[in-house]
């Protein structure tokens, strides 16, 4: 697999190099590691945001903190009224 890093895609080189620095490994292993980790982090983040012991404001702050350029967490409240 090849990843374009020229022209408009130059930002990808920086992202891959940051991942390699973070994981302290070569670029290929960094890309694979990030691809393995991201879905797990997103699922864990969802579990945290769904906790009942957090206030709406806390959930919104956590969602804002965890959101990135590629993953955006939003908190939506739903009010349901039932009448008989």
């Amino acid at each position: 697999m090849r990843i374009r890093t020229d022209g408009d895609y130059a930002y990808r080189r920086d992202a891959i190099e940051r991942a390699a620095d973070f994981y302290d490994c070569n670029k290929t292993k960094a890309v694979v590691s990030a691809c393995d980790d991201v879905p797990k982090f997103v699922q864990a983040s969802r579990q945290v945001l769904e906790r009942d012991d957090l206030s709406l404001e806390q959930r919104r702050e956590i969602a804002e903190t965890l959101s990135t350029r590629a993953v955006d967490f939003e908190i939506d409240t739903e009010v349901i009224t039932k009448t008989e």
Side-chain angles (χ1 to χ4, degrees), residues 36-53:
D36 286 342
D37 286 348
V38 168
K40 293 174 185 175
F41 285 133
V42 169
Q43 181 57 35
S45 299
R46 285 183 180 147
Q47 288 176 337
V48 168
L49 293 170
E50 291 172 355
R51 287 178 32 186
D52 291 335
D53 62 332

Side-chain angles (χ1 to χ4, degrees), residues 16-83:
I16 293 168
E17 288 174 357
R18 281 193 309 273
D21 288 343
F22 176 79
Y23 287 108
D24 192 26
C25 62
N26 65 46
K27 294 176 197 173
T28 300
K29 183 165 175 34
V31 170
V32 172
S33 296
C35 290
D36 286 342
D37 286 348
V38 168
K40 293 174 185 175
F41 285 133
V42 169
Q43 181 57 35
S45 299
R46 285 183 180 147
Q47 288 176 337
V48 168
L49 293 170
E50 291 172 355
R51 287 178 32 186
D52 291 335
D53 62 332
L54 297 173
S55 70
L56 179 59
E57 184 60 29
Q58 287 172 318
R59 290 178 194 190
R60 287 186 173 146
E61 288 175 5
I62 293 168
E64 183 178 337
T65 299
L66 295 175
S67 291
T68 66
R69 180 179 55 81
V71 179
D72 186 36
F73 293 95
E74 292 183 13
I75 303 301
D76 186 24
T77 60
E78 185 176 322
V79 176
I80 299 172
T81 304
K82 248 183 170 176
T83 58

